[in-house]
Amino acid sequence: NAGVTQTPKFQVLKTGQSMTLQCAQDMNHEYMSWYRQDPGMGLRLIHYSVGAGITDQGEVPNGYNVSRSTTEDFPLRLLSAAPSQTSVYFCASRPAGAGELFFGEGSRLTVL
Amino acid sequence: DAKTTQPTSMDCAEGRAANLPCNHSTISGNEYVYWYRQIHSQGPQYIIHGLKNNETNEMASLIITEDRKSSTLILPHATLRDTAVYYCIVRVNDYKLSFGAGTTVTVRA
């Protein structure tokens, strides 16, 4: 199993550009989520999904959109990138019920 | 979710036990204590979790006080590869997991 796969690993954008961070998991996990991590800080929850077709907002959802059309994929969209969105983004998944989160390796985004 | 308090940093000698404290004085009866760690800039890695009883797995032990207001993560024989940021998290449901700043643990040879 590949686990949780994030692409791209690195991306540089200009202010106002749009892009999608991809996240895929091959463990048939129902729950998926996106976090961002700024320097010297912990992770903050952006959006999460408890199953295909179901998404909800986390702690810092503004400026981001998500969708969950399949169990495997949970893309994060930035419609109009801003310098404040410069961060490292982590995708995570886990099966239904309590248990550990499995994290991807992160996507480092710089917005100029 | 209950707020947690951890020391900002701590050092540990290689081969010795590392004891990482966490205070969660406002924890509720149904809230679990979870520990994760993040090595350098990698994705966080699950270590262990518990509700009331002490727990042990191949990575670590978790000791939760009887009143559940604090806990200690124990790495029994720290190695250089255990150098990381360790996060103590208390959560009541499955959907929102909040990471604080954690404890930066440096294992020294």
Side-chain angles (χ1 to χ4, degrees), chain A residues 31 35 37 42 94 100-101 103, chain B residues 36 38 46 94-95 97 100:
Chain A
Y31 176 88
Y35 288 84
Q37 184 173 34
R94 63 159 178 75
E100 64 175 286
L101 276 174
F103 283 85
Chain B
Y36 284 76
Q38 188 174 25
Y46 167 83
D94 295 334
Y95 307 139
L97 192 63

Side-chain angles (χ1 to χ4, degrees), chain A residues 31 35 37 40-43 45 48 50 57 90 94 97-101 103-105 108, chain B residues 32 34 36 38 41-46 49 87 91 93-101:
Chain A
Y31 176 88
Y35 288 84
Q37 184 173 34
M41 298 180 66
L43 283 73
L45 182 64
Y48 65 94
V50 299
Q57 297 181 350
F90 290 99
R94 63 159 178 75
E100 64 175 286
L101 276 174
F103 283 85
E105 288 303 308
R108 185 176 298 273
Chain B
Y32 284 81
Y34 278 74
Y36 284 76
Q38 188 174 25
S41 299
Q42 299 176 16
Q45 176 189 24
Y46 167 83
H49 76 280
Y87 298 100
R91 72 181 196 187
N93 63 51
D94 295 334
Y95 307 139
K96 296 187 178 182
L97 192 63
S98 296
F99 289 76

